[in-house]
Amino acid sequence: MNLTTPTIILTIFFSLTLSIIQPASKHNLNNIKYTLMLMFMISMIPLNTLLNNNHELTMSLLPLIMTPTENINITITLDTLSLIFIPMALLITWSITEFAIWYMSPDPHINKFIKYLVTFLITMTIIITANNMYQLFIGWEGVGIMSFLLIGWWNARSNANTAALQAIIYNRIGDIGLIITTTWLMTFSSMNTQELLIQYETVSIIPTAGLMAAAIGKSAQFSLHPWLPAAMEGPTPVSALLHSSTMVMAGVFLLIRLHPILHNSHLMKMTCLILGATTTLFAAAAAITQHDIKKIIALSTTSQLGLMMTMLGLNQPTLAFLHMTVHSFYKALLFLCSGSFIHALNNEQDLRMMGNLMKTMPMTSSFTIIASLSLMGAPFLSGFYSKDTIIETMTSSYINLWALTITLIATTLSASYSMQIILLILTGPSHTNLYCHKEAKNTIYPLMRLTLASIFIGSMTKLSTLQTTSMTTMPKMLKLTALVMTLLGVVLSKDLMHTPLRSQKLQTINLFFNQLAFFNIPHRALTMNTLKSSQQTSTELMDLWALENYGPKGLSKTLTQLVLLSTQQKNMIKNYMTTFTFTLLISMVLLPV
């Protein structure tokens, strides 16, 4: 790998930075779009080099801060992960930006919005190329701040403000883990990635647990997941970027990048496996009970992130990265298609209110079907290559029958809600008045690019020199398990559509999974109990204590003390007489007359 690659990567960085520094204007928006397009095309050059020889390159500037223990400098690493992720992120951001220019055109601050999207991409690129923990942390926090600003874009809506706060608070919990890891590495190891990964033989629970906490928060794994469906209050282009190539990918990417640290920690790998499998199933179950199209797709992302965590638990970071890359395209496509439908239906997001859009919006409908089929893992679309390989890997592993079973059930459920989206949006009677916008170039071109990627990226990866396919021999039925479970899910979705929830038990299960997505324990139960106990402490307990000590009782006690000081006479005549009598008797007995 020669000097061409670092030059190209630096060009991309500086061009993106310049595009957001330029003064805002309507003409400038198209400049940003064309800059992203050009940067995507340039970023394909190092990818081509990577296919021929899989080298890694590190580029460092002179130290910015010099300390007695180590020098802090800007260091960029260009390896398989970063050189594949950058073109992918640029293609998706280019498509989303083009879509957003049309979708957000009535917004008075559209220039700022587009610049926020590009800044979001820059912060994610910093994470991808960071070669030390300081740099990674800057990108990590940058992604968090940008998600806060973009989710709360429509800040006049209280729900959007709440969702933005939720995102930043949940991520702050995860950030504590990253800060702990960084502090530990600063003390006992090195902040530089290469030096850090050399020492992976020594297993320590503190950095590995910190990395896990960071990934759970950022990638919305079970227990810190409620911010992700809530983040759907932001504009649709934000949801598309957030779920495909930025924010939620950062947590899993961190674990993939620093996987050698987890490599020998069996406890952490087991935690990854259990957590990933649980997240996959619960998110898929919760998605079936939702009716808001964007929330279903958001929970689908959580489910797919759970699959990536499962692969990390099985010691397969490359496979997790493959699924991350492939998943990004069809997830961005699903969000943009849903945005197009929502716009056409006057901001209606309820699936039950949609219907018969196949005839009115044929192109978007076709793209939705392709994206949903790819998400299901339909053969020879992109999703099939990663999902099928994941299930085969789990089948040939010897430690995870439980995880395999859960993943297969989740596969069925994901096929079910994907099919439900297709059936409810595109078929059946129409329930709302259409605001028919023509499917213009601004909407169709970005969707078409993502559709082509959703179809071909999987097979292109399969044919590329990056993948060394292992010869796997297994029974035919076992090989077809994933496909059978997907078909079962499709059949199930058709049945679910025509099954009214009359049984009390069914309604309870439905409500349980519906609420599980938003997790009432931290949002309602804990907060209400905390508020009630605080109120009781401040109003009742504090007042009672103050009155006991400083009110009438306290005053009476001080008066009693003063009485005792002024006289020894306590008006206890019986006691005095008894004592006098006993003393007299004792003296008469003991003393001789």
Side-chain angles (χ1 to χ4, degrees):
M1 197 183 288
N2 53 22
L3 286 171
T4 314
T5 305
T7 311
I8 287 169
I9 301 301
L10 287 175
T11 308
I12 292 168
F13 265 122
F14 289 129
S15 303
L16 293 176
T17 312
L18 281 172
S19 68
I20 58 171
I21 293 170
Q22 285 176 0
S25 68
K26 189 73 180 172
H27 180 65
N28 190 27
L29 291 182
N30 286 325
N31 286 350
I32 291 175
K33 181 180 79 175
Y34 293 131
T35 304
L36 284 165
M37 177 180 73
L38 186 62
M39 291 308 109
F40 163 67
M41 289 173 178
I42 290 173
S43 70
M44 296 297 283
I45 299 166
L47 188 61
N48 185 35
T49 318
L50 179 76
L51 292 172
N52 296 326
N53 44 7
N54 191 4
H55 291 315
E56 184 177 335
L57 180 76
T58 307
M59 184 171 55
S60 295
L61 294 181
L62 291 169
L64 295 177
I65 302 167
M66 299 179 82
T67 65
T69 49
E70 66 176 319
N71 298 334
I72 300 167
N73 50 6
I74 294 174
T75 320
I76 292 175
T77 184
L78 301 172
D79 58 352
T80 311
L81 298 180
S82 51
L83 290 178
I84 292 175
F85 204 103
I86 288 172
M88 180 203 84
L90 282 164
L91 174 63
I92 290 169
T93 312
W94 166 34
S95 302
I96 290 170
T97 305
E98 190 172 344
F99 183 86
I101 291 168
W102 166 79
Y103 188 82
M104 300 291 287
S105 55
D107 197 294
H109 302 295
I110 183 172
N111 292 297
K112 194 205 288 187
F113 180 78
I114 299 296
K115 287 183 178 185
Y116 277 7
L117 288 182
V118 178
T119 313
F120 208 176
L121 171 69
I122 292 168
T123 51
M124 188 62 196
T125 316
I126 291 169
I127 294 177
I128 294 158
T129 55
N131 195 40
N132 60 43
M133 294 302 283
Y134 300 114
Q135 235 169 291
L136 193 141
F137 194 72
I138 290 164
W140 188 268
E141 291 303 318
V143 164
I145 293 160
M146 293 317 300
S147 69
F148 173 76
L149 293 171
L150 285 165
I151 292 165
W153 179 255
W154 289 319
N155 49 30
R157 293 163 57 183
S158 60
N159 281 354
N161 285 329
T162 311
L165 277 171
Q166 221 171 300
I168 205 87
I169 289 164
Y170 274 103
N171 279 292
R172 180 57 56 200
I173 297 166
D175 290 352
I176 292 166
L178 191 64
I179 291 165
I180 290 167
T181 304
T182 309
T183 312
W184 190 91
L185 293 172
M186 199 187 290
T187 314
F188 298 105
S189 182
S190 168
M191 302 298 281
N192 203 341
T193 312
Q194 272 87 7
E195 294 168 13
L196 165 67
L197 297 182
I198 290 166
Q199 301 167 5
Y200 65 86
E201 293 297 336
T202 53
V203 178
S204 177
I205 194 76
I206 296 169
T208 49
L211 288 175
M212 279 295 298
I216 291 166
K218 195 68 87 179
S219 289
Q221 295 301 294
F222 186 71
S223 72
L224 293 180
H225 65 273
W227 72 267
L228 199 56
M232 295 302 99
E233 290 297 331
T236 308
V238 175
S239 307
L241 193 59
L242 189 82
H243 285 252
S244 58
S245 57
T246 53
M247 181 82 162
V248 295
M249 296 302 165
V252 174
F253 188 88
L254 176 74
L255 290 186
I256 294 170
R257 169 73 82 205
L258 301 178
H259 189 261
I261 297 178
L262 301 173
H263 178 71
N264 284 337
S265 175
H266 296 296
L267 175 65
M268 282 305 139
K269 282 197 288 187
M270 188 179 71
T271 311
C272 258
L273 186 70
I274 292 169
L275 194 70
T278 310
T279 307
T280 306
L281 180 63
F282 110 83
I288 281 188
T289 64
Q290 299 292 326
H291 299 294
D292 184 324
I293 181 171
K294 283 175 75 179
K295 286 191 170 67
I296 293 173
I297 302 170
L299 286 162
S300 156
T301 305
T302 310
S303 185
Q304 301 305 311
L305 288 164
L307 263 183
M308 295 171 208
M309 286 291 274
T310 311
M311 280 300 98
L312 287 163
L314 285 179
N315 217 9
Q316 296 284 346
T318 317
L319 201 48
F321 184 69
L322 170 68
H323 190 54
M324 180 201 288
T325 313
V326 166
H327 163 262
S328 298
F329 292 107
Y330 57 76
K331 191 49 57 82
L333 177 58
L334 268 175
F335 269 115
L336 295 189
C337 288
S338 71
S340 191
F341 289 133
I342 290 163
H343 192 74
L345 298 170
N346 286 325
N347 299 323
E348 180 58 68
Q349 290 184 207
D350 195 323
L351 276 176
R352 295 166 297 183
M353 299 303 289
M354 298 181 183
N356 202 26
L357 289 169
M358 177 75 92
K359 292 172 184 171
T360 49
M361 301 176 71
M363 291 288 279
T364 315
S365 302
S366 310
F367 299 149
T368 309
I369 291 169
I370 290 167
S372 297
L373 287 172
S374 194
L375 174 62
M376 286 184 211
F380 311 114
L381 292 175
S382 288
F384 169 74
Y385 289 98
S386 57
K387 211 168 196 178
D388 205 58
T389 317
I390 284 171
I391 290 169
E392 279 182 25
T393 308
M394 294 175 85
T395 313
S396 55
S397 167
Y398 63 92
I399 56 169
N400 60 332
L401 177 62
W402 173 83
L404 174 65
T405 312
I406 281 190
T407 309
L408 287 171
I409 296 167
T411 305
T412 305
L413 294 174
S414 66
S416 179
Y417 62 68
S418 300
M419 201 65 203
Q420 219 162 341
I421 287 174
I422 293 172
L423 293 171
L424 285 168
I425 294 179
L426 308 180
T427 62
S430 181
H431 298 287
T432 49
N433 295 323
L434 266 175
Y435 158 62
C436 264
H437 68 264
K438 188 183 174 188
E439 291 185 320
K441 287 189 293 185
N442 287 346
T443 54
I444 295 304
Y445 283 176
L447 295 180
M448 198 178 284
R449 281 196 294 274
L450 291 171
T451 306
L452 289 170
S454 300
I455 297 169
F456 294 115
I457 285 291
S459 48
M460 281 162 67
T461 312
K462 187 80 178 169
L463 296 169
S464 76
T465 53
L466 287 173
Q467 188 177 8
T468 50
T469 313
S470 58
M471 184 63 75
T472 313
T473 53
M474 53 176 66
K476 189 183 286 183
M477 200 57 222
L478 204 57
K479 180 84 174 164
L480 294 172
T481 312
L483 195 59
V484 170
M485 296 305 273
T486 304
L487 292 170
L488 184 65
V490 171
V491 174
L492 180 67
S493 74
K494 188 72 179 161
D495 284 353
L496 276 172
M497 281 184 68
H498 303 296
T499 310
L501 294 173
R502 290 204 181 91
S503 156
Q504 187 64 40
K505 191 173 181 184
L506 275 174
Q507 283 179 345
T508 311
I509 293 168
N510 197 40
L511 185 68
F512 169 73
F513 279 117
N514 192 303
Q515 291 302 315
L516 195 63
F518 295 95
F519 219 35
N520 279 344
I521 295 169
H523 291 178
R524 303 274 166 82
L526 283 178
T527 44
M528 283 307 293
N529 286 332
T530 309
L531 282 170
K532 279 181 180 174
S533 57
S534 306
Q535 185 185 22
Q536 191 180 18
T537 307
S538 60
T539 56
E540 296 173 24
L541 300 178
M542 290 294 286
D543 285 2
L544 285 171
W545 176 78
L547 286 171
E548 286 285 338
N549 283 289
Y550 300 110
K553 285 192 178 181
L555 286 169
S556 69
K557 283 177 186 173
T558 56
L559 288 170
T560 311
Q561 294 299 325
L562 289 169
V563 168
L564 291 175
L565 284 170
S566 60
T567 175
Q568 294 300 312
Q569 189 64 267
K570 293 186 182 174
N571 302 326
M572 293 187 285
I573 192 71
K574 287 181 181 178
N575 290 356
Y576 297 150
M577 289 303 294
T578 310
T579 311
F580 176 74
T581 311
F582 270 117
T583 313
L584 190 64
L585 286 169
I586 289 163
S587 61
M588 285 173 67
V589 171
L590 294 176
L591 295 170
V593 179

